[in-house]
Amino acid sequence: MPRRTVVIGGGAAGLGAAGGVKAVDPGAEVVVYTQFEDVAYSPCGIPYVHGGEIESFEKLFLAGKQAYVEAGIDVRYEAEVTAVDTAARTVTVAGEGTVGWDGLVLATGFDYADPGVPGGALGGLYYVKNIRRAMEWDKVLDTVKKAVVVEASPLGAEMVTALAHRGVETHLIDPHPYALAAVADPDIMAPVEESWRELGVHLHFNTSLEAFLGEAGGTVRAVRTSAGELPADLVVVATHKTPNNRLAAAAGLKLGSTGGIVVDDHMQTSAPEVWAAGDVTEIPHGLTGVPLQGLTGSHAYAQGKVAGVNAGGGDRAYRAVYVPWGTPAGRWVIGGASFGEATATALGIPYVLGVAEGISRARYYPGVKKVKVKLLAEPDSLRLIGAQLVGGGEGIKERADFLAMAVKFGMTFHDLSTMENVYSPAIGALNEPIVVAATNGLAAARQGK
């Protein structure tokens, strides 16, 4: 009998796990259960369809359903797993009954945090997640004149820009003093916020949500905040991601301080032959060891691959993360690696700062964009520990990726200030902003001694 692996969840982590099992053991039986109508699409792309940058939702699908059949992966759509028994090695599936497994991968993803205010059952509250619901909401957006986005999370920031591009009067409310306060520094977000204002977005920071307003059983008409009421035809609820850990908790798996499932470097949970991956897990930060949950799709897919390879009988490890990140916001692109000043200060981590403002290509080449780079290093060793960036679009993703590796492998301001860089007028300036920032960091360190 072939070994059977059951995967719960059809997102990046779940399909990554299914593929990982098959890569190790092509003859293995792999069954994927998803509560949704589809698997392996990009929910991260949904705001860009709403905003018109991507022409259709169909572009977001990785492959058609037949591709998984041909790959030998048995995907059960609109199938809800209601219980996991790690001792008996079974799952209970609504309408199907009890199903046995030799290996199990939990990739149940995330939920949006409950806003915890009255009116949560009203219509007109949009939680951006499922692509079929997004298709329905996209038609609704044609009728929306005023919208409120609740919280400037990464998804919230993307939806603010999308709604503005759609011509909707958009209000953003957030209890923090600036957008993306959980990951970005205020000076990085300042140009983004200015560009939102230029797009007509109304920003309400240091403002808490108090209630969704509307007739019982009806549709939202406004939100009440700590600063007053805001009329709304639609509310995008973009609260922070929390792990969908209900099955794991009921099964007795160990959960961490974030609520995510605790896993080892092989994505193994506290139960034998049970792995987990993606937003439902927590992973230690590579430098601080602080548990992180709710990372990006690329992290989820990589974790799923590791879980699947090990569930299939292979041996692969997943290393602690250094969190390269980035996203368009307004007319800018922001990004970073590891952490920035705000997080370092909150954690009590001392640092030396190197900052530079440069350009994305030669100053005389058409389309040149500004790029700001901030680097944080340990005061004595000058080892890089974090970075943040904002620019007009070009090179932010690539710099964030590189700087995450620089943190991981212990590069210093000395290394970065003397690094080689590509110079070609159309794609790179003579003075690479990372080099200039590191050089300025060296000068700051000397002045501090």
Side-chain angles (χ1 to χ4, degrees):
M1 291 288 290
R3 177 180 169 87
R4 176 190 289 167
T5 300
V6 167
V7 179
I8 306 175
L15 268 294
V21 173
K22 282 292 190 179
V24 173
D25 183 3
E29 181 182 356
V30 179
V31 184
V32 177
Y33 289 99
T34 176
Q35 61 181 308
F36 300 119
E37 302 95 328
D38 308 284
V39 296
Y41 58 87
S42 174
C44 300
I46 289 173
Y48 301 100
V49 182
H50 287 324
E53 292 88 353
I54 300 174
E55 65 184 29
S56 71
F57 288 100
E58 285 69 25
K59 297 284 188 181
L60 305 185
F61 287 95
L62 176 64
K65 294 182 178 181
Q66 184 59 31
Y68 303 106
V69 175
E70 294 171 358
I73 298 172
D74 181 4
V75 181
R76 311 284 176 90
Y77 301 94
E78 298 181 83
E80 182 184 4
V81 177
T82 59
V84 170
D85 187 330
T86 59
R89 295 193 180 179
T90 63
V91 297
T92 303
V93 184
E96 188 173 335
T98 300
V99 177
W101 46 265
D102 300 300
L104 175 68
V105 179
L106 293 172
T108 46
F110 75 94
D111 295 316
Y112 289 104
D114 184 353
V117 300
L122 289 170
L125 305 183
Y126 180 18
Y127 295 81
V128 182
K129 187 175 182 181
N130 178 267
I131 195 168
R132 297 291 167 175
R133 304 295 82 75
M135 292 175 181
E136 297 166 4
W137 280 109
D138 197 64
K139 298 172 185 176
V140 173
L141 286 176
D142 290 333
T143 69
V144 171
K145 292 182 173 58
K146 296 182 178 182
V148 173
V149 177
V150 178
E151 294 195 15
S153 62
L155 185 279
E158 291 171 346
M159 283 301 295
V160 164
T161 305
L163 291 168
H165 286 171
R166 194 75 173 245
V168 176
E169 180 184 318
T170 305
H171 293 256
L172 171 66
I173 63 172
D174 191 278
H176 300 98
Y178 63 94
L180 271 76
V183 295
D185 292 338
D187 59 321
I188 295 297
M189 296 308 301
V192 173
E193 292 171 9
E194 181 58 31
S195 74
W196 278 336
R197 293 187 181 97
E198 292 171 357
L199 290 169
V201 177
H202 304 269
L203 304 178
H204 308 270
F205 294 115
N206 296 308
T207 302
S208 300
L209 175 69
E210 294 184 346
F212 302 113
L213 303 177
E215 298 298 324
T219 301
V220 67
R221 62 169 178 79
V223 297
R224 187 172 71 237
T225 78
S226 57
E229 287 189 15
L230 295 171
D233 306 310
L234 172 80
V235 178
V236 176
V237 183
T239 49
H240 69 275
K241 297 193 294 186
T242 62
N244 179 3
N245 62 14
R246 290 180 291 277
L247 287 173
L253 299 182
K254 183 179 180 181
L255 304 180
S257 59
T258 68
I261 300 172
V262 173
V263 293
D264 66 12
D265 64 350
H266 280 54
M267 308 307 294
Q268 173 87 43
T269 72
S270 57
E273 300 299 322
V274 181
W275 292 263
D279 288 325
V280 74
T281 65
E282 66 173 39
I283 306 295
H285 186 282
L287 282 181
T288 66
V290 171
L292 303 175
Q293 179 273 326
L295 299 173
T296 67
S298 60
H299 292 96
Y301 183 72
Q303 292 166 16
K305 278 291 188 184
V306 170
V309 164
N310 293 317
D315 183 8
R316 182 182 293 186
Y318 183 78
R319 301 183 186 277
V321 296
Y322 296 84
V323 206
W325 64 274
T327 185
R331 294 192 174 103
W332 297 86
V333 176
I334 56 175
S338 189
F339 49 74
E341 283 191 273
T343 298
T345 300
L347 294 175
I349 299 173
Y351 60 88
V352 175
L353 190 65
V355 183
E357 293 191 359
I359 52 178
S360 61
R361 52 177 73 173
R363 57 177 175 75
Y364 49 80
Y365 197 91
V368 62
K369 305 290 186 181
K370 291 183 179 179
V371 178
K372 179 176 181 178
V373 175
K374 292 175 60 179
L375 304 177
L376 286 73
E378 293 175 338
D380 294 326
S381 69
L382 298 183
R383 175 189 173 188
L384 188 69
I385 58 174
Q388 300 232 319
L389 311 101
V390 59
E394 297 176 328
I396 298 300
K397 175 250 193 281
E398 292 80 5
R399 288 183 176 91
D401 287 341
F402 165 73
L403 289 168
M405 294 299 286
V407 173
K408 181 176 181 177
F409 287 103
M411 296 184 73
T412 68
F413 275 175
H414 296 286
D415 298 320
L416 296 177
S417 70
T418 57
M419 78 179 209
E420 296 179 290
N421 62 275
V422 171
Y423 169 55
S424 176
I427 61 173
L430 180 64
N431 293 314
E432 164 56 43
I434 291 175
V435 173
V436 180
T439 302
N440 291 343
L442 289 173
R446 285 194 293 270
Q447 291 173 1
K449 291 184 177 180

